[in-house]
């Protein structure tokens, strides 16, 4: 069974640019969550999508947005990049059945210069 | 506000030296407590889910326990390959799908 796939693995962007990251969840999983991981703040929740609807959102500015498609694949977008957006962005998928554990992808390492 | 605190921040052990990692939490209506292992540059790898006080789960050299206020991850006779950052997370009653993570414990096991 394939795991959570995130693309690309690495990105280097310039301040002010925008970026789109992609996440394909485990087959059959309908919930996708996004997290930002930095050395100082650890893992912080960005947002969660279920059946193409955003169900929950963390405390991040509006420059961070996302969407989910009918096949459960998800994208997140960051506009007007800032140096502080440099982080490992992680996607997690959950089956939403009896087992509530989230399975993470390898992440996308974003560096803003 | 839901909160997770892990201690110690870093732990250095000799191979075979057993120890425990602590995860203290405050959450409104615990739906689940999760342990993950994370290697450098990789995503967290799921280890355990605990749902209620008194519950215990084991996997190889790892054993996770849960009380009403904290969870412990016991590591018995660790090996160098157990070196990683161990993350604890909770899902509370107010959340829908999101996890609140602690900052993690970085474990180093020396041969």
């Amino acid at each position: 069974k394939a795991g959570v796939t995130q693309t690309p693995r690495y990105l280097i962007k310039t301040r002010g640019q925008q970026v789109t990251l992609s996440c394909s969840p485990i087959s059959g999983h309908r919930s996708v969550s996004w997290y930002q991981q930095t050395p100082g703040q650890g893992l912080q929740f960005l947002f969660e999508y279920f059946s193409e609807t955003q169900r929950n959102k963390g405390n991040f500015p509006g420059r961070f947005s996302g969407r989910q498609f009918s096949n459960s694949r998800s994208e997140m977008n960051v506009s007007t990049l800032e140096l502080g957006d440099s982080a490992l962005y992680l996607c997690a998928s959950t089956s939403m059945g009896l087992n509530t554990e989230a399975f993470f992808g390898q992440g996308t390492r974003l560096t803003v210069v | 506000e839901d909160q997770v605190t892990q201690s110690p921040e870093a732990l250095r052990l000799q191979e075979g030296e057993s120890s425990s990692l602590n995860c203290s939490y405050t959450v409104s209506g615990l739906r689940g407590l999760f342990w993950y292992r994370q290697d450098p540059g990789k995503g967290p790898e799921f280890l355990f889910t605990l749902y209620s006080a008194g519950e215990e789960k084991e996997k190889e050299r790892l054993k996770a326990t849960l009380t009403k206020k904290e969870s412990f991850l016991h590591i018995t006779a660790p090996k160098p390959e157990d070196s990683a950052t161990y993350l604890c997370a909770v899902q509370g009653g107010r959340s829908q799908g999101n996890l609140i993570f602690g900052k993690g414990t970085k474990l180093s096991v020396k041969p």
Side-chain angles (χ1 to χ4, degrees):
Chain A
K1 192 174 188 181
V4 179
T5 303
Q6 291 189 246
T7 57
R9 289 293 313 279
Y10 303 93
L11 267 178
I12 299 176
K13 290 286 188 179
T14 304
R15 273 182 301 173
Q17 287 186 313
Q18 74 165 17
V19 66
T20 300
L21 313 181
S22 179
C23 171
S24 293
I26 293 171
S27 178
H29 285 196
R30 295 166 62 192
S31 169
V32 173
S33 300
W34 288 89
Y35 294 81
Q36 181 195 66
Q37 187 175 31
T38 59
Q41 298 298 319
L43 271 136
Q44 293 186 290
F45 172 72
L46 282 158
F47 28 66
E48 186 239 354
Y49 286 87
F50 179 77
S51 293
E52 301 179 65
T53 301
Q54 186 182 91
R55 291 201 308 178
N56 204 0
K57 190 176 189 302
N59 295 323
F60 279 82
R63 301 184 296 107
F64 292 81
S65 63
R67 59 178 176 169
Q68 186 180 34
F69 302 95
S70 58
N71 61 358
S72 294
R73 190 178 70 86
S74 178
E75 289 181 347
M76 70 162 280
N77 184 79
V78 188
S79 63
T80 319
L81 284 165
E82 301 177 359
L83 295 179
D85 297 332
S86 295
L88 182 66
Y89 289 89
L90 293 159
C91 165
S93 78
T94 307
S95 67
M96 301 307 293
L98 292 177
N99 298 319
T100 59
E101 52 263 21
F103 295 92
F104 285 83
Q106 296 284 52
T108 294
R109 170 71 64 185
L110 172 64
T111 302
V112 182
V113 297
Chain B
E1 182 181 343
D2 299 345
Q3 195 169 0
V4 176
T5 303
Q6 290 187 248
S7 62
E9 289 185 14
L11 181 63
R12 301 182 69 170
L13 300 173
Q14 288 296 127
E15 185 172 1
E17 180 186 2
S18 301
S19 188
S20 296
L21 314 182
N22 177 264
C23 171
S24 298
Y25 65 91
T26 54
V27 66
S28 177
L30 180 69
R31 293 176 61 191
L33 184 140
F34 306 84
W35 282 98
Y36 288 86
R37 167 194 170 126
Q38 186 174 27
D39 293 299
K42 296 190 176 182
E45 173 189 348
F46 171 76
L47 293 173
F48 304 108
T49 307
L50 301 168
Y51 293 105
S52 57
E55 191 174 359
E56 298 182 352
K57 288 194 177 173
E58 288 188 66
K59 179 181 179 181
E60 295 181 358
R61 295 177 293 281
L62 301 176
K63 178 180 177 180
T65 62
L66 181 65
T67 71
K68 288 187 178 180
K69 293 183 178 181
E70 57 192 351
S71 176
F72 291 94
L73 184 65
H74 307 278
I75 303 176
T76 302
K79 299 181 177 181
E81 53 261 42
D82 294 322
S83 297
T85 295
Y86 290 85
L87 297 166
C88 171
V90 297
Q91 187 176 50
R94 281 194 293 258
S95 68
Q96 284 186 335
N98 67 293
L99 300 174
I100 309 297
F101 278 87
K103 295 286 179 70
T105 293
K106 185 175 182 179
L107 174 66
S108 299
V109 182
K110 302 299 181 184

